[in-house]
Amino acid sequence: MKKITVFFVCLFMTGVSVFGFQNTEIDYDAIYKIKDEGLNNSQVMDIAWNLTDRIGPRLTGSEGLKRAYDWTSAEMKEWGLSNVKVEAWGEFGPGWGVKKSYLAMTAPYYQALIGIPKAWTPGTDGEIEAEVVYVNIQNESDLAKYKGKLAGKVVMLPTTASAETTFEADARRLTDEQLDGMMSARVSNANRQFSARRVSDFRRRAQLRNAAYQLFKDEGVKMVLATNRGGQGTFFTSNGARRDPNALPEMEISPEHYNRLVRLAVKGEPIRIEADTKTVFQREDLKGYNVLGEIPGSDPKLKDEVVMLGAHLDSWFAGTGATDNAAGSAVMMEVMRILKESKIPLKRTVRVALWSGEEQGLYGSRNYVQNTFMKNGKPNSAHEKFSAYYNMDNGTGAVRGIYLQSNEAVRPIFQEWFKAFEDMGASTVTIRNTGGTDHQAFDGIGLPGFQFIQDPIDYGTRTHHSNMDVFERLQAADLRKNAVIIATMVMQTANMDEKMPRKPKVFESLNRSR
Amino acid sequence: MKKITVFFVCLFMTGVSVFGFQNTEIDYDAIYKIKDEGLNNSQVMDIAWNLTDRIGPRLTGSEGLKRAYDWTSAEMKEWGLSNVKVEAWGEFGPGWGVKKSYLAMTAPYYQALIGIPKAWTPGTDGEIEAEVVYVNIQNESDLAKYKGKLAGKVVMLPTTASAETTFEADARRLTDEQLDGMMSARVSNANRQFSARRVSDFRRRAQLRNAAYQLFKDEGVKMVLATNRGGQGTFFTSNGARRDPNALPEMEISPEHYNRLVRLAVKGEPIRIEADTKTVFQREDLKGYNVLGEIPGSDPKLKDEVVMLGAHLDSWFAGTGATDNAAGSAVMMEVMRILKESKIPLKRTVRVALWSGEEQGLYGSRNYVQNTFMKNGKPNSAHEKFSAYYNMDNGTGAVRGIYLQSNEAVRPIFQEWFKAFEDMGASTVTIRNTGGTDHQAFDGIGLPGFQFIQDPIDYGTRTHHSNMDVFERLQAADLRKNAVIIATMVMQTANMDEKMPRKPKVFESLNRSR
């Protein structure tokens, strides 16, 4: 086994502490085995196919996610992973799913409309046929104009969504310039600042929508139509995160179809629609679950310490959640398969987690870290024995590097490890934070949690919460590569001399809170 | 009125004849008026909106096209055009339209599928629910495997359609290099050459499909599913040009949805669908019509001579035929409005034609030219008195120049005229032919028929015969510009000293055939 040992001094450009020397041996023999298994015998696309085409959409609480719990845990057991379990993290609430989705304009002429019921809304209870009313409100006083006029109607509100022709490619990769910019970035504030004006505008619009929605209920509206961004047959869903038990039937439709109805209404053309939607609520099991599996540590002294990796298994439901996040789930499962199959000794225990409830607020991971690493609001011994968590949830694109999540102490370690992947285009280590997914659950309780820089491909333009987040959008070569890189990161973390350095600031605040 | 007179000698690089001197006065005063009306008071987008959003799809023989006949002819009358008429060109056959279009996968899980009944196919006669069978045939002997197994099933055949992620923009404009290449091109052969191998492959596949289709009918298949190219929610229709009166119910669906079914079937997953489609055949009026309107010539000696412009008003039906060809129809109508409104004297009579049956084989224009310019297979006096025809049917993109359609004698005239539009990016005159639309009807009987070079925008990638050929895809600035350029071409043609030169070769062959 050839090893190259590198010693270095941690230099803190933004902090004051010095942790001192840290061993970051790069295990090129192990990497060779990982590359061989991950590139020449990859199963990542087969895993991803099962999660998407075969299992389908995986909304938290749905039949689809239940199938995914069953299948992923069965696979992990078949691969010989240890302690495989589908573990409840707490109560999520009722599950929901679509059983029929049909909507068409019938006047001034027939046009089937591309759309889907909004999450956690009821169906139409059989086919309905109704006039469409465009409720053109700019402020609450406008609502009075519609009182007594909406019973039995289908309503639409003004939208800013458009679907302009684009002269830019849907999909792209990060350029060298963009990566250089990330490399040289300083610590960023993870919270974007919104102007007071913007916040008050947002509140005003939300209030107006709520007032309109109340009017619709009071009036006895049959259905609400809505739209979001998208175009050319792609539509993004807003996802009805509220899970309002008294919601009206509502459909989210493609912007071109929505805006055609709006334009016709504004010109005074009578519009009628027919719709037949059926949705089901699952109330038998209100709990949410995570799927867990392990490769036990081989070093008697270190096997109680844990390195984790994960991705969320749940998805939205208009597509099959291919890039969000069958991609991450498939890669993390493949990482475990590669590590198990290649029989590389791992000193620390390696544990994979496939989360649920991520799309509603990182519920699976946030509850897991509370249940596992905290007791009465304070870190427990498992917190002490934890090294690092790696997450993948930035779509299908190739890993190009990693976000340090403001943890400067980790920079030299990751810089060293990524040297093994310069030929794969992955070498950018940025101090920046990235948010919006499950590594934040770990970061939030002072544990090192990381997520990777990935090529965006068409995540923002086509797939992220859209009806077209489907198998075709997965980039096979990228996912194979990602599994190899992440398997290496996990292997190195499992076998390094010390646990992963933590952020000093978080330690201090945790110490203060004891 | 300021005029710049330019004389030049026609040089034939590819032919032998010399027509001699030709007057091509550029009437800058008239162009100023045209630009003023066409750019500052444009109605082209309003016309296009009526044709798309309000009137809807305009398949030949359908209710939609009937509405378009009525509305366009009424508009032309309102503008004060002369001899406005909706004129039958001959028998087209039954019209057809969609009255209900619903399709969903119900097992292994629910997924509404994006699609539409294939043109001129019957509906399902109420809701059907059936198993899907993937008929994986590579040659006719494979069909025997499916005998006795397809009764009551929904069937799918293998497809080469995929929907890969694209790293190129949907929409683009022609580059200077591309335009330079067209400018310096030599006379091209309009007929693309296919290798004998390719032709025989094509025939073999067509025979196989026909044999499979016969089996499906014999077996009592409930519905056929098919797909074409597309992606991300866009699907292109194949358009069932055959109009087979014994067709099975058939739907064309988006490639991602189709290929998901295929992948599931290949892996042995049982698939079920439910569908409810209704189509109607219109058999009361089997005739096809063109809409015509004129501005009579102002010169007593030349008013019997005619300059024509046109575009096809019919469309396919999955979208609203916005770029194919509400764009062209709206521009040509706007040209007439501009010429009428700006009161520029036009020596020759200018006649606009909005064709139908173009999508089934240029029926409207081909029949019109036979009915109007030919008698007993020979050119009549109207043929003699005809100058030129201008067509627009290359989508929504800006005019960048014109195809000479191998008529070298016209090059110096058009080159001179396009000098007025260099500031609009339109100056390319190419000897090349372009095909596939109504100018060919004129060209085919020896009359000068031209079509413009246009920026492709997203015609090939998103709109040409797709469900997403809708109002949003129209480029307003381009259509305004096109109306100005084409109005100028028509004005110049109406007022030039001589009629437009014709192709010598065609004259010869016509003379020989007398």
Side-chain angles (χ1 to χ4, degrees), chain A residues 53 109 163 232 234 263 473, chain B residues 53 109 163 232 234 263 473:
Chain A
D53 277 359
Y109 50 88
Q232 294 95 11
T234 303
R263 290 187 298 259
R473 302 282 71 78
Chain B
D53 277 0
Y109 50 88
Q232 294 95 13
T234 302
R263 290 187 298 260
R473 302 282 72 77

Side-chain angles (χ1 to χ4, degrees), chain A residues 73-92:
Chain A
S73 57
E75 281 291 285
M76 289 187 197
K77 281 176 190 163
E78 199 174 307
W79 297 339
L81 300 194
S82 303
N83 299 323
V84 175
K85 53 190 167 183
V86 180
E87 184 180 80
W89 50 254
E91 180 154 321
F92 174 73

Side-chain angles (χ1 to χ4, degrees), chain A residues 115-190:
Chain A
I116 198 164
K118 186 171 176 173
W120 283 284
T121 61
T124 54
D125 194 20
E127 183 159 319
I128 62 167
E129 200 282 334
E131 186 189 341
V132 175
V133 178
Y134 177 56
V135 179
N136 192 0
I137 50 164
Q138 301 304 324
N139 52 61
E140 292 196 30
S141 65
D142 286 346
L143 286 171
K145 290 187 280 185
Y146 297 95
K147 266 182 192 151
K149 293 179 184 165
L150 302 181
K153 310 294 188 195
V154 169
V155 296
M156 309 177 75
L157 287 169
T159 177
T160 55
S162 68
E164 283 169 20
T165 297
T166 174
F167 288 78
E168 288 184 11
D170 287 344
R172 64 185 177 88
R173 295 189 179 278
L174 293 168
T175 63
D176 289 346
E177 290 69 28
Q178 289 170 320
L179 290 167
D180 287 349
M182 296 178 93
M183 190 103 77
S184 57
R186 298 191 181 186
V187 176
S188 62
N189 187 332

Side-chain angles (χ1 to χ4, degrees), chain A residues 360-434:
Chain A
Q360 290 73 35
L362 323 187
Y363 292 153
S365 56
R366 280 189 170 146
N367 279 281
Y368 175 84
V369 301
Q370 286 298 325
N371 297 341
T372 311
F373 303 115
M374 303 291 279
K375 194 168 185 183
N376 302 327
K378 290 177 186 170
N380 63 15
S381 62
H383 190 283
E384 176 59 32
K385 288 183 182 301
F386 188 82
S387 179
Y389 171 73
Y390 298 98
N391 195 71
M392 178 177 152
D393 187 21
N394 274 331
T396 189
V399 165
R400 306 298 301 274
I402 196 163
Y403 293 95
L404 290 176
Q405 211 70 22
S406 301
N407 188 346
E408 187 65 51
V410 181
R411 187 194 291 270
I413 302 169
F414 285 170
Q415 276 178 340
E416 191 60 29
W417 292 352
F418 267 105
K419 283 182 183 166
F421 299 106
E422 277 178 19
D423 62 330
M424 285 185 173
S427 57
T428 300
V429 176
T430 178
I431 192 65
R432 284 195 187 151
N433 294 315
T434 184

